[in-house]
Every structure is written in C-alpha cells, then in structure tokens.
Amino acid sequence: MSMKASASHPIPAATRPDARPWRLRHGAGFWIVAAAFLAVMAFSTIPTPLYALYQQRDDFPTWVVTVIFAAYAVGVIASLFLIGHLSDWAGRRRMVLVAIVLELVATALFLVWNDVSGLIVARFISGVGVGALTASATAHLGELRSVARPEEGPRLASTVSTVVNTGGLALGPLIGGVFAQFLPAPLLLPYAVFLVILAVAALAVALVPETVERAEERPAYRPQRLSVPAASRGAFSAAAAAAFAGFAVFGLFTSLAPSVLAGTFHVASHFVAGVVPFSVFAASAISQIVFAPLRSRTALIVATVLVAVGLAGLAVGVLGDSLPVFLIAGVLAGAGVGLLFRASILVAGSLAAPERRGEVLAAIFLVAYIGLALPVLLLGVALIVWPLVPVLVAFVAIIAVLAVVAALRMLPTAP
C-alpha cells in the first residue's frame, strides 16, 4: 500500500509522528492546545459584562448590543461553513494558529477601534476565529492524545475538549466582570492582557506536533458539506429545533443579561454582570458531567423539565422584580440546555451512517449557531418598538415552547 497522502484522504501523522527536535512531545502538545483552546473561548465571551460600559459611554440603545453580539454568531456560522473543515487537509496545528491569529486581530481592534462599528467588526472576526478553532482543536486534541497515550482511548481527550470549550465560554464573562469592577481602564486592560495571552498561546502552539500530513496536491475547495438523512428528517428537525432553542438561551445571557440586570433589577455591579452568564455556562457544563450516567431518554426528560422550569422562572423573576429568582432560573435553564444540546447531538449522530455522521453533525452545529444569532437579532428589532420586560417574557415563552416540543419529539428516537 502506498503511504503517499492523497488530496482527499491525508494520512494522520499519528502513524508517522512528527519527531523534529524543535517540536514538543505529543503529550505536552495536548495540554498546550487545550490551554490555547480555553484562552480563545474565554476571550470570545470577555465582552459580555462590558457591553453596558460601551452603552453608557456611547449612549446607544439596547438593541445595538444585540447587533454587536449577532456579528459574532454570524462570524462563527460563516467560519463553520466555509473554513472549519479545512484542517482535514491543511493541518490541525496550522488551522489552530490561523484561529489564534484571527483572535489577535480582534483583540487589536478592540484596543484601537472600539466604537460601535469597530465592535461589530471585531466581534465578527472573533467569531470567524472561533469557528475555525472549534473543530480543528477538538480533532487535534484527540490525535495528539492518541499518539501520547495510545492505550488510553478517546474518553479523556473528549472530556478535556468539552471542558475547555464550555469552561472557556463560562470564564470569559467572569474575567471581564472582574476587570470591569475592580481594575482600571476596563475597556482596554482586558484586551491588552489577552493580547499577551493569545500571543504566547500562538508561540506555544507553533511548537506542537502536526497530526495531519499535508497533501502533496491541494484538493479542490468546497464548503462544509451538510447532510440530512431523507428517511429521518422528522427526527433531525426535532434535534435541530432543540439545538436552536438551547443556543438561543445562551445568546440571551451573553448579549442582554447585563442590560436586564441594570435596567430591570438596577444592579450596577459589572462583576455580577459577569457572574450571571458564567453561572449559566458553568451549569451547562456541570450538568453534562453530573447526569452522564443517566440513560439518554432519562437525561432528555430531565433536560426538558430543567429548561421549562428555568425559562418560566426567568419570566417570573423579571415580572416580579426578583433577582434571586432570575439567577436561580438562569442556572436551571443553563443546566437543562447543556443536557438538551447533548441529546440533540446524540440523536442527530444516530440518524446517519458513520461515513455521513460528520455532515449531519455539521448541520446541527450550523442550526445551533443560527439559534445563537437569529433570536437575538429579532430581540433587537423588538426592542426598537417595545420595552425590555415584555419582549424578554415573550422571548422566553416562545423558546420554552420550542424546546419542550422538540424534546418530546426526540424522545422516541433517543439512543
């Protein structure tokens, strides 16, 4: 058998590890890529508690915040569809480096061009970087670990990938809140610090072994192929609707939570504005660990209850002007969303043959990130006409109905 890499099927370097003396070992490379993954995901949510400061400084309405946030989600969607899969032939390390460089560009823009137009551009570029990173870093972690510990199996690499992904999203608002509340120049200092962190991450990742041999002939470019099994479109649509609804909840907390805290509950603490989305994302990650032993159907039922109760609690908290109810409800909703999204991935993955599974999952992720962007944009449009509280209540009611119906439709097909 020829060992030459073809354009469509590059040979994993795990079969011929990169042994150049200026490369790190695969085991050390695994943890460096994990740390870089964590740093990028944290940076992507740093602005969450800072939006109120930008709004106060430039005196723009709340709906503008939703546009700035949606620019990030649009960047992720475009990147997932257009470049997120290129590491299969261009190389994992190369794509991770490209993603970090894009985040460095976004960081510089936050520092030098931070009016509304600059924020939109910076958030879009940050989204493109995240879309390029997610699949590449996840695959890179699995391949690095398989070389360093071939007897171990994929469990640890998969767990680390999930933890640094969701954990980074959780840490970002918390770090941003600390900078905004306790340190000077909160619209400059966080980005200056992350400029250094991301630059160090890029230098470190450059020393990590590559795990995909670059093809001698570059294959013809095509966007990410998406696939929906014709015989299972009903089950797929339920899984997609669940992913859409879950990410809509995340979009709410990473865009409008600080405005809700300031405008409805009169909480001026930027630290609290960071703690709230941190708690939601942390609950999402923890619930997937805590409820991992449950059967898929049981976990889906738990997810449905948590999402329904959590979203209902958000409406009650806002209408009753009760911050504790709002916070507890957010944690419950976040925990439910974590389980709901995991269930949607499991259901979607079970619908396709192994050789088409990646395309089906790509379609689910695309729908999920549309859920991150579109509802928030519609919220912004509604806020031009109506006050925040009724718009928020209507939003959580619609998302709750969508999530519950989707979950009930997934139950018969849950693996």
Side-chain angles (χ1 to χ4, degrees):
M1 177 183 285
S2 170
M3 292 299 292
K4 182 183 291 187
S6 69
S8 58
H9 298 288
I11 299 172
T15 64
R16 194 163 49 82
D18 189 342
R20 281 170 284 186
W22 47 276
R23 293 282 185 229
L24 296 169
R25 292 183 180 274
H26 288 75
F30 172 84
W31 294 111
I32 286 174
V33 172
F37 197 175
L38 180 73
V40 169
M41 300 312 293
F43 172 70
S44 73
T45 51
I46 277 278
T48 299
L50 305 180
Y51 288 137
L53 292 177
Y54 290 117
Q55 190 175 7
Q56 181 181 5
R57 185 195 67 184
D58 296 337
D59 194 30
F60 54 75
T62 301
W63 66 266
V64 174
V65 175
T66 66
V67 175
I68 296 170
F69 172 78
Y72 164 79
V74 170
V76 176
I77 293 168
S79 184
L80 285 172
F81 185 61
L82 297 175
I83 66 175
H85 59 298
L86 296 186
S87 70
D88 287 343
W89 61 267
R92 310 298 188 203
R93 185 185 71 244
R94 297 179 185 94
M95 286 305 299
V96 171
L97 283 172
V98 166
I100 297 174
V101 168
L102 287 169
E103 299 305 324
L104 284 167
V105 172
T107 309
L109 289 175
F110 278 120
L111 287 170
V112 302
W113 184 24
N114 57 14
D115 60 9
V116 170
S117 55
L119 293 174
I120 290 173
V121 173
R123 289 297 281 156
F124 175 80
I125 292 174
S126 179
V128 173
V130 167
L133 176 79
T134 305
S136 303
T138 300
H140 203 189
L141 287 171
E143 292 160 0
L144 287 167
R145 196 67 183 177
S146 70
V147 175
R149 297 285 188 274
E151 75 287 351
E152 186 177 73
R155 181 179 295 274
L156 185 131
S158 177
T159 300
V160 169
S161 175
T162 300
V163 168
V164 298
N165 191 336
T166 311
L169 293 173
L171 283 175
L174 185 64
I175 295 170
V178 169
F179 274 96
Q181 187 68 36
F182 304 112
L183 296 172
L187 299 184
L188 295 176
L189 189 58
Y191 304 116
V193 170
F194 265 85
L195 187 68
V196 175
I197 291 173
L198 292 170
V200 171
L203 292 174
V205 169
L207 300 177
V208 171
E210 180 57 77
T211 54
V212 169
E213 183 177 353
R214 196 166 189 173
E216 292 182 4
E217 295 182 14
R218 180 178 297 181
Y221 170 79
R222 62 171 177 80
Q224 171 66 56
R225 183 176 294 157
L226 307 177
S227 176
V228 177
S232 308
R233 284 179 180 165
F236 176 86
S237 65
F244 181 97
F247 271 58
V249 176
F250 285 155
L252 171 67
F253 279 95
T254 48
S255 61
L256 288 182
S259 297
V260 173
L261 291 172
T264 303
F265 300 113
H266 311 292
V267 175
S269 170
H270 302 297
F271 177 68
V272 174
V275 167
V276 171
F278 164 78
S279 302
V280 172
F281 279 110
S284 173
I286 292 170
S287 70
Q288 295 181 59
I289 297 171
V290 170
F291 294 107
L294 295 182
R295 294 175 60 246
S296 297
R297 287 173 57 85
T298 306
L300 185 54
I301 293 171
V302 173
T304 306
V305 173
L306 288 173
V307 169
V309 172
L311 291 177
L314 291 177
V316 171
V318 170
L319 290 172
D321 196 17
S322 173
L323 180 58
V325 171
F326 182 84
L327 295 177
I328 293 171
V331 170
L332 292 176
V337 166
L339 293 175
L340 187 65
F341 183 65
R342 188 182 71 169
S344 70
I345 292 295
L346 289 173
V347 168
S350 69
L351 298 177
E355 65 272 12
R356 305 296 296 274
R357 191 164 293 144
E359 298 167 12
V360 173
L361 293 178
I364 282 288
F365 274 101
L366 192 62
V367 172
Y369 275 98
I370 291 172
L372 194 70
L374 183 60
V376 169
L377 277 176
L378 294 177
L379 270 176
V381 172
L383 288 173
I384 299 174
V385 181
W386 296 292
L388 178 60
V389 170
V391 169
L392 186 63
V393 171
F395 172 84
V396 297
I398 293 170
I399 296 301
V401 171
L402 179 62
V404 170
V405 170
L408 293 176
R409 289 183 59 202
M410 278 199 297
L411 272 176
T413 56

